[in-house]
Amino acid sequence: MAIPDMTRPGPDAVEARLNYSDGTSRTVFTTDVEVPFPEGRLIVSRTDLAGVITHANDAFVEMSGWQRDELIGAPHHILRHPDMPAVAFKGLWDDVAAGKKWHGYVKNLRKDGSYYWVYATAVPNIRNGQIVGYTSVRRKPSRTRINELIPVYRQWLEQEKSPS
């Protein structure tokens, strides 16, 4: 499912074009506004095998800036921030598709162009021995670890952009 291009939230927003693994792309706008992860909350979502959102808890709806009915049925990459390298998500999908748990730090894009960081755990949902979807639980991330990962993610993005 293609997601519509974002509307520029303000004159200082930076425009980027994102290409997704499902072959779709869209224009997004980012700002330098970080929304802090809410104390004592967990963000929970579930997706089908294709990464389409089937469940979003209240904390997910609030932090994403989207309405619940906009999230349900949308691909989870609706939250992808252009500062996140594709290789970070490849590891996630490789692990959960193989039936393994994945952990990682993710910078998510809100509907209004601001962002928030999470420490995510994603697991496959298994029924009768078959993977039927995925659940992701996000918690407050370590600021120290985020600061360590920012230059790593920046380097991975540069490697993705440079011709091999």
Side-chain angles (χ1 to χ4, degrees), residues 1 25 35 38 49 54 65 70 72 97 99 106 125 129 138 143 158 161:
M1 169 188 169
S25 63
V35 175
L49 292 173
T54 59
E70 294 174 307
I72 303 299
V106 179
N125 299 329
R138 278 86 80 202
R143 181 55 57 181
E158 287 304 315
K161 292 176 186 175

Side-chain angles (χ1 to χ4, degrees), residues 19-162:
N19 298 306
Y20 303 108
S21 60
D22 65 0
T24 62
S25 63
R26 78 174 179 142
T27 299
V28 299
F29 294 94
T30 62
T31 69
D32 288 332
V33 177
E34 180 173 2
V35 175
F37 196 96
E39 289 293 334
R41 304 280 307 267
L42 293 176
I43 295 173
V44 180
S45 61
R46 285 192 298 272
T47 70
D48 64 14
L49 292 173
V52 174
I53 299 167
T54 59
H55 169 80
N57 76 345
D58 290 344
F60 181 37
V61 172
E62 292 164 21
M63 282 302 289
S64 73
W66 294 88
Q67 297 297 314
R68 189 179 318 275
D69 63 345
E70 294 174 307
L71 290 169
I72 303 299
H76 212 286
H77 63 237
I78 196 169
L79 302 173
R80 178 151 175 218
H81 194 285
D83 288 350
M84 285 299 300
V87 69
F89 296 109
K90 181 180 182 333
L92 179 160
W93 286 107
D94 287 350
D95 283 356
V96 295
K100 298 187 229 170
K101 184 187 301 187
W102 177 89
H103 298 280
Y105 284 80
V106 179
K107 183 177 186 180
N108 283 323
L109 178 64
R110 290 173 40 95
K111 184 178 182 180
D112 65 4
S114 61
Y115 67 93
Y116 60 102
W117 280 95
V118 300
Y119 178 67
T121 300
V123 297
N125 299 329
I126 300 173
R127 304 285 182 271
N128 300 319
Q130 299 293 318
I131 298 173
V132 296
Y134 307 102
T135 297
S136 179
V137 178
R138 278 86 80 202
R139 55 190 47 82
K140 185 174 181 163
S142 157
R143 181 55 57 181
T144 300
R145 188 69 180 127
I146 290 168
N147 291 338
E148 293 168 354
L149 285 170
I150 288 171
V152 173
Y153 286 177
R154 197 173 294 132
Q155 180 182 21
W156 289 354
L157 278 171
E158 287 304 315
Q159 289 170 347
E160 288 175 5
K161 292 176 186 175
S162 66

